[in-house]
Amino acid sequence: MQLVNRAKALMAQGKTDSAIPLLEKAIQVDQRNGEAFFNLARAWRSKGSRQKAIQFAQKSEILFQGDSTKLKQAYLLQADLYKEMGNVAKSDSYRQKASKLK
């Protein structure tokens, strides 16, 4: 989690290019780190690489199954990504999933 926290701090400073390698390392250390996958999705989204962002967001969705708050965040991120990609149906589907969670 230290790597994820450092990466989040870098992203908050607009240093996404420096955050991505830290998040990738966090995933290498722990392939079940949903936070790392989620933040990697956010990082790639900020760089305009929506397809990569979707892939990482989907992995975080799988890993967040036991945590409804984090799962909702993953659903909303995917909804936004699909909307940005012009796929309104998928965006609406993810928003609907998110609305069912607390």
Side-chain angles (χ1 to χ4, degrees):
M1 282 308 291
Q2 290 177 346
L3 292 169
V4 174
N5 289 334
R6 284 196 336 224
K8 285 167 62 173
L10 287 168
M11 288 171 56
Q13 297 170 12
K15 298 178 181 176
T16 305
D17 289 335
S18 298
I20 289 173
L22 292 177
L23 293 166
E24 289 172 341
K25 186 173 181 178
I27 289 168
Q28 289 174 351
V29 171
D30 179 7
Q31 294 180 358
R32 302 208 37 86
N33 187 334
E35 285 290 324
F37 282 100
F38 180 78
N39 284 288
L40 200 47
R42 289 179 52 234
W44 283 113
R45 178 188 183 196
S46 74
K47 292 183 62 65
S49 187
R50 291 179 187 91
Q51 198 57 47
K52 265 188 173 178
I54 286 284
Q55 291 171 354
F56 289 112
Q58 288 171 338
K59 182 67 175 176
S60 73
E61 174 187 344
I62 293 165
L63 295 171
F64 286 159
Q65 288 299 311
D67 186 331
S68 62
T69 302
K70 290 180 181 179
L71 181 58
K72 185 173 186 173
Q73 291 176 340
Y75 285 158
L76 291 172
L77 175 59
Q78 289 178 82
D80 290 344
L81 286 162
Y82 281 117
K83 185 176 182 180
E84 291 169 11
M85 294 168 63
N87 191 334
V88 176
K90 267 206 163 173
S91 176
D92 289 348
S93 172
Y94 275 98
R95 286 208 185 283
Q96 191 171 47
K97 287 180 183 184
S99 72
K100 295 177 183 175
L101 299 173
K102 292 184 179 188

